[in-house]
Structures are given as structure tokens and as C-alpha cells.
């Protein structure tokens, strides 16, 4: 047994495990795709996810977890708008207008 302690001057210096985990994240609903792109700060992945966004919008402009769902979620929609804003990343205008 034992305890291994590593001290880092900044918390962001010790996120390699989180990054590795998110690179291999196995789930694929819209919330999870958005979250992975944000967590990895992967602009190319963000663009790919945003290209899928129109197929995830319901008739009211709410984002659906999966394209085949009948109804979207106001909570998911607000999450995507908020996290994109906080990250400084754009949601395509055509989708954003519907949302």
C-alpha cells in the first residue's frame, strides 16, 4: 500500500488523465459530443459537432439528445448556448436563430 502525492503549481498542469479520458469517451449523445469538444478545447471537433446540430433540432428549436428523438430539451439547448458562450465558440447562425 501507500499514497503517491504529486504537487503542481497550477491545477491545469495535472489534467492529463482527464484529457486522456475525454479522448476515449465512449458516449455519443449531443450533450456528450459538445462536452467532449469543450473539455478537449478541440475546435475541429466543435465544428464537426456543430455541423450535426441541425439534425438535432426539433420543430420548436430545442436540441434533441439524438436525431431520432421526437422532442428536444430546453435544458440541453440552454446548456449548449451557455457553454459555447463561455468557451468563446460560435454556434452557426442558422442553428442559433432556431434555438
Amino acid at each position: 500500500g501507500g499514497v503517491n502525492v504529486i504537487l503542481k503549481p497550477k491545477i491545469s498542469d495535472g489534467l492529463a488523465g482527464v484529457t486522456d479520458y475525454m479522448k476515449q469517451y465512449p458516449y455519443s449523445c449531443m450533450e456528450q459530443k459538445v462536452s467532449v469538444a469543450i473539455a478537449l478545447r478541440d475546435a475541429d471537433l466543435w465544428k464537426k459537432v456543430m455541423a450535426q446540430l441541425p439534425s438535432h433540432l426539433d420543430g420548436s428549436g430545442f436540441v434533441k439528445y439524438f436525431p431520432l428523438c421526437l422532442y428536444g430539451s430546453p435544458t440541453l439547448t440552454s446548456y449548449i448556448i451557455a457553454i459555447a458562450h463561455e468557451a468563446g465558440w460560435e454556434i452557426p447562425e442558422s442553428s442559433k436563430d432556431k434555438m
Side-chain angles (χ1 to χ4, degrees):
V3 175
N4 186 15
V5 177
I6 299 172
L7 301 176
K8 304 265 183 176
K10 295 188 293 184
I11 192 167
S12 62
D13 289 343
L15 296 178
V18 173
T19 301
D20 290 341
Y21 176 76
M22 293 307 285
K23 284 180 181 177
Q24 298 176 22
Y25 198 71
Y27 305 106
S28 62
C29 78
M30 181 53 75
E31 182 274 325
Q32 293 157 332
K33 291 177 186 180
V34 165
S35 297
V36 168
I38 293 290
L40 296 176
R41 298 296 297 162
D42 187 330
D44 290 333
L45 182 56
W46 178 259
K47 289 175 188 171
K48 288 177 187 174
V49 173
M50 289 298 102
Q52 298 171 12
L53 189 57
S55 69
H56 284 73
L57 297 178
D58 71 9
S60 298
F62 294 127
V63 181
K64 300 181 284 183
Y65 286 91
F66 297 97
L68 297 178
C69 292
L70 294 177
Y71 303 105
S73 164
T75 305
L76 175 58
T77 305
S78 63
Y79 167 71
I80 292 172
I81 292 169
I83 201 164
H85 175 76
E86 289 299 317
W89 288 356
E90 296 294 323
I91 297 171
E93 285 297 320
S94 58
S95 294
K96 192 169 163 184
D97 290 345
K98 292 176 184 174
M99 293 164 71

